[in-house]
Amino acid sequence: MTRNMQRFMLTAGTALGLTLGASAALAQDCTTRIGAVLPTSVDWGRPIAETAQFVVDQVNESGGVAGCQIEMVLRDTQVDPKVGVDAAKALVDLDGVQVLLGAVSSGVSMPILTSVSVPGNVMQMSCCSSSTAFTALAREGKTSGLWFRTFATTGVQAAVAAKVAQDQGYGSVAILYKNDDWGQDIAKLTAGYLEALGIEVTGSVALNDGQPSYRAEVTSALSGNPEAAYLALYPNEGTAAVREWLSLGGTQNMILANSLKSDDFRQNVGLQYLGNALGTDTASPRVDSADDFVTRYTERFGGAPNGPGLANSYDATMIALLAMEAAGAGATGDQIAAQVGRVTDPAGTPVTADGAGFAQARQVLAAGGSVMYQGATGNVRFDANGDVSAPAVVWKFTEDGSEEVQYLSLTEVDTFMASMN
Amino acid sequence: MIQHLLDGILVGAILSLGATGLTMVMHMLRFANFSHAELLSIGAYVALVFDPLFKALLPLLSAQIGPLSMTWALVAAILVAMALTALSAVLFDRLVFRRVREKGEELSMVFASFGLALIIRNVIGLVFGLHTKLYSQDIVFATVLSRDPLILVKPDQVAVLGVALAVMAALHLMLSRTTFGYALRAVAENPALAQVNGINLGRMIVIVWLLGGALAAMAGVFYGLTNQITPVIGRDLVLPVFAATIVGGIGSIHGALLGGFVVGIAANLALVVLPSGYSPSVPFLIILAVLLVRPNGLFGEERA
């Protein structure tokens, strides 16, 4: 903790120095503020904010956005919707920001979006919210096109699970899911995808935490005689349910969500029963721009970007700034949001995710062209609902952990998902 | 349907054991003891410690009993767990409940029991970690009783049911046939009058805690055997065990026995009609329904 703090103070100090130096050198006299609402009071939230600031520093060094330096005003959400909304309101009303970065949790991002961003006509770009509730909201037109996120939805995992079922030739699948937002979401999506592929869903059974026994639930799931089981559970109840499932003669053909990639689960169920279990997970892209991000990040922070959402935070910030550049000085939130497509255009000029790339983008955009941002999470492309897709992996358990069975690139995932819609 | 009924009976046996101890304590000391379910955790973890110990000391004991996943070592560990849990129940009474009983009122006891439950749960988590543990990694496959309709039972669960019923029967005989049983019932009925008649109240309280602790330990190990062991066993079981106690009527051993089965069966059968996400609400619904029809529980008697 102390060492982390020290490192943070050091980087914060360096950042300050760089910003001051750069602004002095460029002698710009205007500053544009953007807002960031992130959970800086939790240990994994702070690096996400530092990564966003890192992007702002690089852009400022390369000459700023639309002729002005960017100041990122950071406020803590404490992973609390009420605190998050207050923070966002203050940023919009008092600091007059047109762009909000954040939040991390879907439960915080959602009230900010509906009660601050949309009414205030401010663009909101989240690094880390995965709930499909945003997709539904966008589909109803209630986000006014102001919402974007650089984190793939649970839809990717659900689609890959369906693909695994298809590849393995399972004709029928029973679904057991954790009875919370995430579980309900992924179970519904998976069931939809399975049916789209012509695979019968024999039953979809919710499991609550801390039940004295999961026997009744497992019996219900078994009743349709499924050829395979899809499990969107956490390790604790997952262990109990799967042991029950196996002991009652359930099939060993299992498809697991990434939440079950756990040593506890592997050991307590037993590897001998998990031979036919295949897991799904989203993966970081295997492209040069992602490796470049790792190099840049390591140079700056003295360690690899291992925390959650760092690459996503980097891209969220960079794309937001690119869109601001494209929209020009004094643009409002909706005008900035309208430019997001122009800076993530697959047919545009490719630009790298650093100061030099930003400078190049500035020229292309000034000449009326469009750019293709090549970021830390690959070539980011938003769909009509502000969602992105992600590469995926299929994994299985081994003696000492898990190993990758198959890698599905972004294009493969996109093609597969498009084929089902 | 039949499968759900059968599953309910097997789960119910464990709840009955837990509820029997709770109903005795609640009747005698007249407070809702929310820490009772933690005694199940203590029992389960004590057995988890002693089971491998016995296996190491006496390799002969590590043989499995017939088709069960239970070993003789675990049987020995259950006995140790019952003894130690019974003692810790008495200890908790000495350290916490007796002091509160002397100075505070009923509500203070309830809150004290809440606090104690939290402490026990967290100490267990601290010592053993929050991970899921098991007595045996092996999965014992269920035996097919009938193909159509498909009925499956696990040997472990049948054994648990048998032992639970035997213990209940022994308890029943003790309460209805021995002087000690009469004394116990007299104290529960009217402590003051019982003392006038020469019954040592303090000793009776100790015995009730010992019995309650031992039964809870047994229920805890059986739960661990048929499910899994985590520090939150107590939290997960407190509601069903309370439901069983209230349904049966506080103070009635027979009621607790029946209540356990009612709750177990109802929770399982509920899945036939209700979506599975709603199953945690079933114990509440049973409590409500029973209290509406019989405010003192199925076997409970009104008392002044």
Side-chain angles (χ1 to χ4, degrees):
Chain A
M1 189 63 210
T2 331
R3 226 187 52 206
N4 277 343
M5 270 314 278
Q6 277 172 350
R7 206 171 62 197
F8 171 66
M9 298 301 270
L10 202 68
T11 47
T14 323
L16 199 67
L18 283 172
T19 321
L20 286 177
S23 47
L26 291 158
Q28 285 167 329
D29 48 6
C30 68
T31 307
T32 312
R33 285 181 171 173
I34 62 168
V37 270
L38 298 165
T40 49
S41 52
V42 291
D43 54 356
W44 46 264
R46 190 164 277 286
I48 293 175
E50 287 176 47
T51 307
Q53 183 62 51
F54 176 35
V55 173
V56 172
D57 294 344
Q58 289 183 76
V59 170
N60 279 340
E61 255 178 90
S62 85
V65 173
C68 291
Q69 288 287 295
I70 293 292
E71 183 196 343
M72 185 179 92
V73 188
L74 176 62
R75 278 177 177 260
D76 187 9
T77 65
Q78 297 171 19
V79 209
D80 183 328
K82 290 192 294 292
V83 179
V85 168
D86 282 348
K89 257 204 160 62
L91 287 169
V92 172
D93 293 343
L94 303 179
D95 294 309
V97 304
Q98 294 298 325
V99 169
L100 279 175
L101 300 174
V104 171
S105 315
S106 297
V108 182
S109 300
M110 184 56 101
I112 293 180
L113 178 65
T114 51
S115 64
V116 181
S117 303
V118 172
N121 195 27
V122 168
M123 177 173 99
Q124 187 180 345
M125 175 89 72
S126 168
C127 61
C128 313
S129 297
S130 70
S131 167
T132 50
F134 294 102
T135 311
L137 200 71
R139 216 169 263 151
E140 292 166 20
K142 288 182 184 159
T143 60
S144 312
L146 293 164
W147 163 257
F148 299 92
R149 52 176 155 182
T150 51
F151 196 88
T153 65
T154 32
V156 173
Q157 263 210 66
V160 174
K163 183 171 160 53
V164 170
Q166 187 185 37
D167 292 350
Q168 297 292 314
Y170 301 147
S172 58
V173 176
I175 298 175
L176 284 162
Y177 64 94
K178 185 178 171 71
N179 196 20
D180 66 359
D181 284 352
W182 169 80
Q184 291 168 0
D185 205 20
I186 201 165
K188 212 167 84 190
L189 288 165
T190 307
Y193 285 131
L194 285 170
E195 271 157 10
L197 292 173
I199 297 168
E200 187 198 352
V201 178
T202 58
S204 190
V205 182
L207 260 65
N208 289 291
D209 288 359
Q211 287 294 289
S213 160
Y214 291 113
R215 184 145 180 172
E217 284 86 347
V218 168
T219 307
S220 299
L222 275 171
S223 61
N225 265 328
E227 286 174 34
Y230 175 67
L231 308 165
L233 301 168
Y234 282 23
N236 202 9
E237 74 269 11
T239 306
V242 170
R243 286 177 63 93
E244 200 78 72
W245 171 269
L246 293 171
S247 76
L248 294 177
T251 167
Q252 292 182 20
N253 295 334
M254 291 182 265
I255 305 168
L256 317 171
N258 64 344
S259 50
L260 286 176
K261 201 191 236 181
S262 128
D263 287 339
D264 268 0
F265 178 77
R266 174 173 55 89
Q267 282 160 10
N268 285 332
V269 173
L271 196 59
Q272 69 270 36
Y273 302 114
L274 293 170
N276 281 337
L278 289 170
T280 63
D281 203 349
T282 48
S284 45
R286 290 164 196 186
V287 289
D288 291 344
S289 66
D291 297 340
D292 290 347
F293 162 70
V294 175
T295 316
R296 261 196 313 281
Y297 187 96
T298 312
E299 259 171 40
R300 170 63 180 269
F301 293 102
N306 287 329
L310 298 182
N312 312 80
S313 173
Y314 191 94
D315 284 352
T317 316
M318 195 60 104
I319 292 167
L321 295 181
L322 280 168
M324 285 173 74
E325 174 73 38
T332 55
D334 57 335
Q335 289 164 344
I336 299 168
Q339 296 296 326
V340 169
R342 195 170 149 220
V343 299
T344 53
D345 181 3
T349 316
V351 294
T352 52
D354 52 9
F358 197 90
Q360 190 194 352
R362 190 181 293 128
Q363 285 173 358
V364 175
L365 292 169
S370 64
V371 296
M372 174 172 69
Y373 171 70
Q374 296 181 313
T377 59
N379 299 347
V380 181
R381 204 170 87 210
F382 298 98
D383 66 10
N385 302 317
D387 289 343
V388 291
S389 183
V393 285
V394 178
W395 51 270
K396 67 170 197 225
F397 283 115
T398 59
E399 284 294 340
D400 47 2
S402 60
E403 69 177 22
E404 184 184 311
V405 179
Q406 192 187 1
Y407 174 77
L408 296 157
S409 73
L410 194 58
T411 329
E412 287 170 292
V413 171
D414 280 345
T415 318
F416 180 71
M417 286 179 78
S419 74
M420 282 189 296
N421 286 329
Chain B
M1 188 73 180
I2 299 170
Q3 178 76 61
H4 282 292
L5 197 70
L6 205 64
D7 293 346
I9 293 173
L10 299 174
V11 175
I14 294 172
L15 297 180
S16 295
L17 277 179
T20 309
L22 179 64
T23 206
M24 281 162 60
V25 172
M26 271 170 80
H27 191 51
M28 183 104 140
L29 301 174
R30 305 189 179 205
F31 80 104
N33 179 13
F34 283 94
S35 67
H36 188 81
E38 303 305 323
L39 295 176
L40 273 74
S41 298
I42 296 180
Y45 275 95
V46 171
L48 186 69
V49 172
F50 279 91
D51 177 37
L53 214 63
F54 282 129
K55 271 182 198 153
L57 288 177
L58 300 161
L60 261 181
L61 291 184
S62 46
Q64 291 189 341
I65 308 171
L68 311 180
S69 77
M70 224 185 303
T71 58
W72 289 110
L74 188 63
V75 174
I78 292 179
L79 297 176
V80 176
M82 287 171 72
L84 287 181
T85 311
L87 288 177
S88 49
V90 175
L91 183 73
F92 296 141
D93 185 57
R94 281 282 143 86
L95 288 177
V96 184
F97 295 126
R98 198 171 67 176
R99 290 159 197 241
V100 181
R101 197 159 53 226
E102 280 161 7
K103 291 179 187 159
E105 27 179 333
E106 252 180 68
L107 211 55
S108 319
M109 294 283 278
V110 174
F111 283 110
S113 75
F114 259 120
L116 185 64
L118 283 177
I119 294 171
I120 299 174
R121 195 178 304 154
N122 284 292
V123 166
I124 290 176
L126 211 61
V127 175
F128 293 93
L130 301 171
H131 301 283
T132 303
K133 310 246 177 187
L134 297 161
Y135 292 121
S136 158
Q137 303 282 338
D138 300 333
I139 295 179
V140 179
F141 289 95
T143 317
V144 181
L145 280 192
S146 132
R147 283 260 163 227
D148 188 36
L150 186 66
I151 298 173
L152 301 157
V153 281
K154 285 201 275 184
D156 276 349
Q157 289 179 313
V158 177
V160 165
L161 180 67
V163 172
L165 289 177
V167 168
M168 304 282 172
L171 208 60
H172 166 74
L173 288 178
M174 188 186 77
L175 284 177
S176 59
R177 302 285 151 85
T178 64
T179 329
F180 164 72
Y182 286 125
L184 204 65
R185 279 158 57 194
V187 171
E189 213 56 54
N190 190 334
L193 204 59
Q195 267 180 305
V196 169
N197 281 297
I199 295 170
N200 183 340
L201 184 63
R203 214 188 60 177
M204 280 297 146
I205 291 179
V206 169
I207 290 173
V208 165
W209 279 116
L210 285 174
L211 272 176
L215 290 174
M218 192 183 255
V221 179
F222 286 162
Y223 178 79
L225 192 69
T226 49
N227 290 283
Q228 55 187 5
I229 310 157
T230 67
V232 294
I233 289 181
R235 187 200 64 192
D236 295 348
L237 285 176
V238 69
L239 189 67
V241 167
F242 256 91
T245 308
I246 294 171
V247 166
I250 294 163
S252 164
I253 307 264
H254 304 111
L257 171 65
L258 188 77
F261 287 117
V262 168
V263 173
I265 292 169
N268 272 270
L269 282 184
L271 267 145
V272 180
V273 253
L274 279 179
S276 55
Y278 294 94
S279 60
S281 66
V282 172
F284 283 113
L285 292 176
I286 300 170
I287 294 181
L288 275 179
V290 170
L291 290 184
L292 277 176
V293 182
R294 281 190 64 93
N296 293 306
L298 294 179
F299 284 74
E301 285 157 20
E302 206 168 335
R303 82 178 179 190

